[in-house]
Amino acid sequence: EIVLTQSPDFQSVTPKENVTITCRASQSIGANLHWYQQKPDQSPKLLIKYASQSISGVPSRFSGSGSGTDFTLTIISLESEDAAAYYCHQSGTFPQTFGQGTKVEIK
Amino acid sequence: EVQLLESGGGLVQPGGSLRLSCAASGFSFGSYAMTWVRQAPGKGLEWVSGITGFGSGHYADSVKGRFTISRDNSKNTVNLQMNSLTAEDTAIYYCARPYANSYLDHWGQGTLVTVSS
């Protein structure tokens, strides 16, 4: 099973700050890495597919990068509505797995 | 519009069984794999099981041998039969659609399973 390790687990951020969340895979997964946002009491929502590809309707301040084992989700100029948990997910190998999540709080 | 509607959650005693269903609409169901993801209270997301359009199933190690995924393409439904349930299986269970067996582009609202005596 491929283990995805996110860092940090928690981040408290001021609006307009930039946020960087990393996801490290225990073995290479190419670009089969996706990012989701989950707000309280809501279902997860797809943010980025295949490490860096944007999703229609997702604000352009969200971007992804990386390949192989190291991936990054970046939020440029955080807005208050971005308070949420963020998860990475690998679809390269069964069983598929998620990272443990990163909670972003707005100061 | 793609819609996924889970049902079948509830309270079950340890060692018991439960069958979850997910009714899909708004897309060509038989052409897509389907996935179950769960979230224990206050915890993160856990991939549970997936099934290809042809019916081949995959499982997380934590549920292998206890859970069985199936689908009925004539009824546009995917099911999760859960046996030998323990408290660690308590979670919201989400049905999700993987696009090309990869990213999960649509999610249901989830159904709560509580395992308790």
Side-chain angles (χ1 to χ4, degrees):
Chain A
E1 170 178 308
I2 294 177
V3 177
L4 298 179
T5 303
Q6 290 183 227
S7 62
D9 291 331
F10 177 85
Q11 194 162 8
S12 184
V13 187
T14 302
K16 297 189 179 179
E17 262 190 89
N18 296 340
V19 173
T20 298
I21 299 169
T22 65
C23 177
R24 175 163 289 177
S26 59
Q27 58 186 276
S28 179
I29 54 174
N32 294 304
L33 190 285
H34 322 292
W35 291 96
Y36 304 84
Q37 176 193 65
Q38 187 181 32
K39 296 182 179 180
D41 298 320
Q42 293 187 16
S43 302
K45 170 189 170 184
L46 179 66
L47 280 183
I48 299 289
K49 62 182 180 180
Y50 296 121
S52 62
Q53 295 182 18
S54 60
I55 301 298
S56 175
V58 173
S60 58
R61 62 182 179 274
F62 292 93
S63 65
S65 64
S67 67
T69 60
D70 293 298
F71 302 87
T72 300
L73 173 69
T74 300
I75 311 173
I76 299 295
S77 191
L78 188 86
E79 298 190 7
S80 57
E81 67 185 33
D82 300 333
Y86 293 86
Y87 297 92
C88 56
H89 158 232
Q90 70 81 16
S91 61
T93 303
F94 285 112
Q96 297 184 7
T97 48
F98 285 90
Q100 81 276 16
T102 296
K103 185 176 181 180
V104 174
E105 173 193 88
I106 308 298
K107 284 182 182 175
Chain B
E1 178 192 5
V2 172
Q3 291 193 340
L4 301 171
L5 183 62
E6 303 94 338
S7 61
L11 175 64
V12 61
Q13 291 189 339
S17 299
L18 210 56
R19 183 179 177 85
L20 305 183
S21 291
C22 172
S25 61
F27 63 101
S28 180
F29 181 75
S31 299
Y32 286 84
M34 294 297 294
T35 291
W36 288 95
V37 174
R38 70 183 180 184
Q39 186 168 37
K43 303 296 184 183
L45 302 174
E46 180 185 14
W47 187 91
V48 173
S49 182
I51 187 167
T52 66
F54 297 106
S56 177
H58 300 272
Y59 301 92
D61 291 345
S62 59
V63 307
K64 198 174 295 183
R66 299 187 300 122
F67 289 13
T68 302
I69 193 170
S70 61
R71 65 188 297 155
D72 186 337
N73 289 343
S74 68
K75 296 181 179 179
N76 287 4
T77 57
V78 57
N79 305 300
L80 188 68
Q81 177 66 42
M82 305 185 296
N83 299 330
S84 302
L85 287 163
T86 73
E88 285 66 45
D89 297 313
T90 293
I92 296 173
Y93 284 73
Y94 294 102
C95 172
R97 187 187 83 166
Y99 187 87
N101 274 309
S102 61
Y103 56 90
L104 304 174
D105 62 351
H106 289 90
W107 296 67
Q109 288 304 301
T111 186
L112 177 62
V113 172
T114 303
V115 184
S116 175
S117 55

